[in-house]
PDB file of all heavy atoms in Angstrom:
ATOM      1  N   TYR A  84      -7.597  23.795 -11.778  1.00  0.00           N
ATOM      2  CA  TYR A  84      -6.201  23.395 -11.929  1.00  0.00           C
ATOM      3  C   TYR A  84      -5.794  22.850 -10.585  1.00  0.00           C
ATOM      4  O   TYR A  84      -6.562  22.910  -9.610  1.00  0.00           O
ATOM      5  CB  TYR A  84      -5.322  24.596 -12.324  1.00  0.00           C
ATOM      6  CG  TYR A  84      -5.248  25.686 -11.281  1.00  0.00           C
ATOM      7  CD1 TYR A  84      -4.316  25.638 -10.246  1.00  0.00           C
ATOM      8  CD2 TYR A  84      -6.133  26.765 -11.304  1.00  0.00           C
ATOM      9  CE1 TYR A  84      -4.262  26.627  -9.272  1.00  0.00           C
ATOM     10  CE2 TYR A  84      -6.082  27.753 -10.329  1.00  0.00           C
ATOM     11  CZ  TYR A  84      -5.148  27.680  -9.321  1.00  0.00           C
ATOM     12  OH  TYR A  84      -5.101  28.650  -8.347  1.00  0.00           O
ATOM     13  N   THR A  86      -2.247  22.453  -7.777  1.00  0.00           N
ATOM     14  CA  THR A  86      -0.844  22.714  -7.471  1.00  0.00           C
ATOM     15  C   THR A  86      -0.307  21.505  -6.701  1.00  0.00           C
ATOM     16  O   THR A  86      -1.076  20.684  -6.203  1.00  0.00           O
ATOM     17  CB  THR A  86      -0.694  23.986  -6.614  1.00  0.00           C
ATOM     18  OG1 THR A  86      -1.490  23.826  -5.432  1.00  0.00           O
ATOM     19  CG2 THR A  86      -1.139  25.216  -7.384  1.00  0.00           C
ATOM     20  N   SER A 123      -0.823  39.793 -12.869  1.00  0.00           N
ATOM     21  CA  SER A 123      -0.352  39.240 -11.601  1.00  0.00           C
ATOM     22  C   SER A 123       0.419  37.930 -11.830  1.00  0.00           C
ATOM     23  O   SER A 123       0.035  36.874 -11.315  1.00  0.00           O
ATOM     24  CB  SER A 123      -1.560  39.013 -10.688  1.00  0.00           C
ATOM     25  OG  SER A 123      -1.171  38.734  -9.396  1.00  0.00           O
ATOM     26  N   ASP A 125       3.138  34.926 -11.612  1.00  0.00           N
ATOM     27  CA  ASP A 125       3.857  34.326 -10.481  1.00  0.00           C
ATOM     28  C   ASP A 125       4.638  33.105 -10.954  1.00  0.00           C
ATOM     29  O   ASP A 125       4.610  32.752 -12.135  1.00  0.00           O
ATOM     30  CB  ASP A 125       2.899  33.992  -9.324  1.00  0.00           C
ATOM     31  CG  ASP A 125       1.869  32.938  -9.697  1.00  0.00           C
ATOM     32  OD1 ASP A 125       2.102  32.199 -10.683  1.00  0.00           O
ATOM     33  OD2 ASP A 125       0.843  32.825  -9.034  1.00  0.00           O
ATOM     34  N   THR A 212     -20.418  26.905  -4.099  1.00  0.00           N
ATOM     35  CA  THR A 212     -19.897  27.761  -5.180  1.00  0.00           C
ATOM     36  C   THR A 212     -20.844  27.670  -6.372  1.00  0.00           C
ATOM     37  O   THR A 212     -21.138  26.569  -6.843  1.00  0.00           O
ATOM     38  CB  THR A 212     -18.496  27.297  -5.637  1.00  0.00           C
ATOM     39  OG1 THR A 212     -17.562  27.495  -4.578  1.00  0.00           O
ATOM     40  CG2 THR A 212     -18.009  28.065  -6.850  1.00  0.00           C
TER      41      THR A 212
HETATM   42  N1  LIG B 452     -14.450  27.766  -5.703  1.00  0.00           N
HETATM   43  C1  LIG B 452     -14.320  26.697  -4.969  1.00  0.00           C
HETATM   44  O1  LIG B 452     -15.256  26.090  -4.550  1.00  0.00           O
HETATM   45  C2  LIG B 452     -12.964  26.227  -4.672  1.00  0.00           C
HETATM   46  C3  LIG B 452     -12.778  25.121  -3.877  1.00  0.00           C
HETATM   47  C4  LIG B 452     -11.478  24.705  -3.584  1.00  0.00           C
HETATM   48  C5  LIG B 452     -10.383  25.405  -4.117  1.00  0.00           C
HETATM   49  N2  LIG B 452     -10.595  26.497  -4.890  1.00  0.00           N
HETATM   50  C6  LIG B 452      -9.511  27.256  -5.471  1.00  0.00           C
HETATM   51  O2  LIG B 452      -8.546  26.367  -5.887  1.00  0.00           O
HETATM   52  C7  LIG B 452      -7.360  27.061  -6.061  1.00  0.00           C
HETATM   53  C8  LIG B 452      -6.309  26.139  -5.630  1.00  0.00           C
HETATM   54  O3  LIG B 452      -5.547  26.557  -4.559  1.00  0.00           O
HETATM   55  P1  LIG B 452      -3.983  26.407  -4.610  1.00  0.00           P
HETATM   56  O4  LIG B 452      -3.622  25.076  -5.116  1.00  0.00           O
HETATM   57  O5  LIG B 452      -3.465  26.798  -3.265  1.00  0.00           O
HETATM   58  O6  LIG B 452      -3.643  27.436  -5.751  1.00  0.00           O
HETATM   59  P2  LIG B 452      -2.746  28.728  -5.863  1.00  0.00           P
HETATM   60  O7  LIG B 452      -2.726  29.048  -7.315  1.00  0.00           O
HETATM   61  O8  LIG B 452      -1.467  28.549  -5.140  1.00  0.00           O
HETATM   62  O9  LIG B 452      -3.622  29.892  -5.199  1.00  0.00           O
HETATM   63  C9  LIG B 452      -3.977  30.011  -3.846  1.00  0.00           C
HETATM   64  C10 LIG B 452      -4.536  31.408  -3.614  1.00  0.00           C
HETATM   65  O10 LIG B 452      -3.475  32.350  -3.656  1.00  0.00           O
HETATM   66  C11 LIG B 452      -3.855  33.532  -4.340  1.00  0.00           C
HETATM   67  N3  LIG B 452      -3.007  33.663  -5.543  1.00  0.00           N
HETATM   68  C12 LIG B 452      -2.201  32.714  -6.065  1.00  0.00           C
HETATM   69  N4  LIG B 452      -1.536  33.174  -7.131  1.00  0.00           N
HETATM   70  C13 LIG B 452      -1.908  34.443  -7.292  1.00  0.00           C
HETATM   71  C14 LIG B 452      -1.580  35.456  -8.234  1.00  0.00           C
HETATM   72  N5  LIG B 452      -0.728  35.227  -9.246  1.00  0.00           N
HETATM   73  N6  LIG B 452      -2.152  36.663  -8.098  1.00  0.00           N
HETATM   74  C15 LIG B 452      -3.026  36.903  -7.096  1.00  0.00           C
HETATM   75  N7  LIG B 452      -3.382  35.996  -6.173  1.00  0.00           N
HETATM   76  C16 LIG B 452      -2.845  34.777  -6.266  1.00  0.00           C
HETATM   77  C17 LIG B 452      -5.314  33.359  -4.698  1.00  0.00           C
HETATM   78  O11 LIG B 452      -6.104  33.949  -3.699  1.00  0.00           O
HETATM   79  C18 LIG B 452      -5.522  31.868  -4.685  1.00  0.00           C
HETATM   80  O12 LIG B 452      -6.854  31.517  -4.381  1.00  0.00           O
HETATM   81  C19 LIG B 452      -7.498  28.350  -5.270  1.00  0.00           C
HETATM   82  O13 LIG B 452      -7.657  29.388  -6.198  1.00  0.00           O
HETATM   83  C20 LIG B 452      -8.789  28.141  -4.511  1.00  0.00           C
HETATM   84  O14 LIG B 452      -9.524  29.335  -4.324  1.00  0.00           O
HETATM   85  C21 LIG B 452     -11.864  26.979  -5.248  1.00  0.00           C
END
Side-chain angles (χ1 to χ4, degrees):
Y84 64 86
T86 56
S123 191
D125 64 20
T212 294

